[in-house]
Amino acid sequence: MTQAPVALENDRRTSRRRHDREILSLAVPAFGALVAEPLFVMADSAIVGHLGTPQLAGLGIAAPLLTTAVSIFVFLAYATTAAVSRRVGAGDLPGAIRQGMDGIWLALLLGAAVVATVLPGAPWLVSLLGASDTAAPYATTYLRISALGIPAMLVVLAATGVLRGLHNTRTPLYVAVGGFAVNGALNLGLVYGAGLGIAGSAWGTVIAQLGMAAVYLVVVVRGARDHGASLRPDAVGIRNSARAGVPLLIRTLSLRAVLMVATAVAARLGDADVAAHQVILSLWTLLAFALDAIAIAGQAIIGRYLGADDAKGARRACRRMVEWGITFGVLLGLLVVATRPLFIPLFTSDHAVQDALLPALLVVALVQPVAGVVFVLDGVLMGAGDGVYLARAMVVTLVVFVPAALLVPALGGGLTELWWAMALMMVVRMLTLTWRARSGRWLVTGATR
């Protein structure tokens, strides 16, 4: 009678240790790769911020637009990771890589379409977000130049998804670190050394992204040849990749709409508020990607378990990753509170911007444990291929957030109240994702969903 409970507890401990080792082996290098993207933006913010408040405000308008133009296609990474890891779990490695190549070809096609749209539409997009007359020229310049690097950014997304699905998160780490170093050096040299101002910051980012895409292509192409996977574009495969990404596209568009509405509201509060909002968004993205490192591990681990017909293992892994998400959310919140007086001067010397930043950052800190649950469960459900539910849940979240955000200026609120509306958005996401995770409806096994 006493041996069975002891054996069960030992089995649970062994399972937790195994999950912890696997999560760490994937999440630690994934974290390094993930934070490279917000670090690109934070480096731009720090460098451009010392050019003046209008330049930083211009970046505050252009950066979310550029990020939106890229991140709406984040399914190139997420859907590819889930599909590749499922096939790995089912023992079909050549098929996994072939599916990844279809994603890369799709990335190139989408990138060309986005560039053709953004270049002529940049002034209209900047105006749509309510940029002031002083900030608009800088925002337009940055957006047009940076748009030239969008195809490379999408290739990076797709190729990263292939490697994550193969449980290789170290190569993305090395590429990201190299890209961040090159980006920082180029930005300093072009902005101040060459005297190009905000245009130099944009060119530095474009060059760094092109270099990263080139490295990824070399790695993936070499892997495809080693396993006999075709490199030629396959119309059916590309179409299937696009179809699988539609629900995640809807989910991501809804999420980006939340961020764009927040930026538009901040822009109407004044240059100081939108400049402060840009700094907070940079930090928010960094914190989100830090938590998303666990979610990236979840995508690969959950996909592999389900591909191997192990629903019980997938549920156990999910539970353990949620525990990790809550723990790291608490730690990140405490870190924001402790360090906010130190890093604010890195971005601006304008006292009006600094005053707007301080109270809003406290809201960001308080919501981090909630964010830990949200990002982990988001990754788990993506790994399971549960994109349709994720799309529906994010649309519901958008419907709740928009009126709350629009009420901020209507009621005379400021940046802090806007970020309370963002906190509400995160709570709604947590509730919808937790309900789905507990339902078990995402546990669909097999090489394909």
Side-chain angles (χ1 to χ4, degrees), residues 57 68 70 90 128 219 250 289 297 327:
T68 297
V70 175
L128 182 66
V219 173
I250 295 171
F289 282 167
T327 300

Side-chain angles (χ1 to χ4, degrees), residues 92-106 162 217 219-238 241:
D92 182 13
L93 192 56
I97 297 177
R98 173 65 259 181
Q99 194 151 15
M101 287 303 305
D102 291 335
I104 290 175
W105 281 110
L106 178 62
V162 177
L217 286 175
V219 173
V220 175
V221 168
R222 183 181 300 156
R225 288 176 173 169
D226 289 344
H227 293 90
S230 175
L231 297 173
R232 295 179 180 179
D234 176 56
V236 174
I238 294 172
S241 293

Side-chain angles (χ1 to χ4, degrees), residues 123-163:
W124 178 81
L125 290 169
V126 167
S127 176
L128 182 66
L129 285 191
S132 67
D133 291 340
T134 55
Y138 297 110
T140 302
T141 296
Y142 188 91
L143 182 60
R144 277 181 165 160
I145 296 172
S146 296
L148 299 176
I150 288 176
M153 296 180 195
L154 298 190
V155 167
V156 167
L157 284 177
T160 300
V162 177
L163 297 180

Side-chain angles (χ1 to χ4, degrees), residues 43-121:
D44 289 355
S45 299
I47 294 170
V48 172
H50 291 286
L51 291 173
T53 297
Q55 288 90 336
L56 182 58
L59 179 63
I61 296 295
L65 286 168
L66 179 66
T67 304
T68 297
V70 175
S71 64
I72 58 174
F73 301 113
V74 75
F75 69 83
L76 290 167
Y78 292 161
T80 301
T81 299
V84 169
S85 62
R86 270 185 180 264
R87 290 191 176 274
V88 169
D92 182 13
L93 192 56
I97 297 177
R98 173 65 259 181
Q99 194 151 15
M101 287 303 305
D102 291 335
I104 290 175
W105 281 110
L106 178 62
L108 288 170
L109 293 173
L110 292 173
V114 174
V115 172
T117 302
V118 173
L119 285 180

Side-chain angles (χ1 to χ4, degrees), residues 254-255 258 390-403 422 424-430 432-433:
S254 300
L255 178 57
V258 166
L390 288 172
R392 292 172 179 169
M394 199 61 230
V395 169
V396 170
T397 302
L398 176 63
V399 170
V400 173
F401 171 75
V402 170
M422 291 287 285
L424 171 64
M425 178 269 296
M426 293 300 292
V427 170
V428 173
R429 290 188 71 191
M430 182 183 68
T432 57
L433 295 176

Side-chain angles (χ1 to χ4, degrees), residues 77-435:
Y78 292 161
T80 301
T81 299
V84 169
S85 62
R86 270 185 180 264
R87 290 191 176 274
V88 169
D92 182 13
L93 192 56
I97 297 177
R98 173 65 259 181
Q99 194 151 15
M101 287 303 305
D102 291 335
I104 290 175
W105 281 110
L106 178 62
L108 288 170
L109 293 173
L110 292 173
V114 174
V115 172
T117 302
V118 173
L119 285 180
W124 178 81
L125 290 169
V126 167
S127 176
L128 182 66
L129 285 191
S132 67
D133 291 340
T134 55
Y138 297 110
T140 302
T141 296
Y142 188 91
L143 182 60
R144 277 181 165 160
I145 296 172
S146 296
L148 299 176
I150 288 176
M153 296 180 195
L154 298 190
V155 167
V156 167
L157 284 177
T160 300
V162 177
L163 297 180
R164 288 173 182 168
L166 297 172
H167 286 220
N168 176 3
T169 55
R170 292 188 179 274
T171 298
L173 170 62
Y174 301 146
V175 176
V177 170
F180 173 68
V182 171
N183 177 72
L186 286 172
N187 279 8
L188 285 172
L190 295 174
V191 171
Y192 297 111
L196 297 180
I198 197 170
S201 177
W203 279 118
T205 301
V206 169
I207 295 170
Q209 291 286 356
L210 287 170
M212 292 171 66
V215 174
Y216 271 118
L217 286 175
V218 169
V219 173
V220 175
V221 168
R222 183 181 300 156
R225 288 176 173 169
D226 289 344
H227 293 90
S230 175
L231 297 173
R232 295 179 180 179
D234 176 56
V236 174
I238 294 172
R239 187 164 54 249
N240 289 339
S241 293
R243 187 180 298 114
V246 169
L248 288 181
L249 175 62
I250 295 171
R251 170 257 180 203
T252 305
L253 283 172
S254 300
L255 178 57
R256 294 310 307 178
V258 166
L259 299 179
M260 297 306 291
V261 168
T263 298
V265 170
R268 284 160 176 79
L269 297 175
D271 277 3
D273 280 324
V274 74
H277 182 70
Q278 166 58 22
V279 174
I280 296 175
L281 270 183
S282 299
L283 176 64
W284 176 266
T285 306
L286 176 62
L287 296 171
F289 282 167
L291 293 170
D292 214 24
I294 306 172
I296 294 302
Q299 290 176 31
I301 294 170
I302 295 297
R304 193 194 70 236
Y305 272 121
L306 295 179
D309 297 322
D310 186 359
K312 184 178 180 180
R315 187 182 286 278
R316 284 183 176 180
C318 172
R319 186 181 303 112
R320 188 58 177 162
M321 284 182 283
V322 169
E323 292 170 357
W324 277 64
I326 294 172
T327 300
F328 277 92
V330 171
L331 292 176
L332 288 175
L334 293 174
L335 186 63
V336 171
V337 173
T339 62
R340 64 194 177 108
L342 302 177
F343 65 75
I344 288 177
L346 295 176
F347 294 96
T348 180
S349 56
D350 189 318
H351 291 293
V353 178
Q354 292 182 356
D355 290 342
L357 277 169
L358 284 170
L361 283 173
L362 287 177
V363 180
V364 172
L366 287 172
V367 83
Q368 289 311 298
V370 174
V373 177
V374 169
F375 288 110
V376 168
L377 289 181
D378 215 30
V380 166
L381 297 182
M382 285 181 189
D386 201 14
V388 173
Y389 179 81
L390 288 172
R392 292 172 179 169
M394 199 61 230
V395 169
V396 170
T397 302
L398 176 63
V399 170
V400 173
F401 171 75
V402 170
L406 294 179
L407 280 174
V408 170
L411 297 178
L415 189 65
T416 302
E417 287 73 22
L418 175 60
W419 276 91
W420 276 118
M422 291 287 285
L424 171 64
M425 178 269 296
M426 293 300 292
V427 170
V428 173
R429 290 188 71 191
M430 182 183 68
L431 293 175
T432 57
L433 295 176
T434 300
W435 178 85

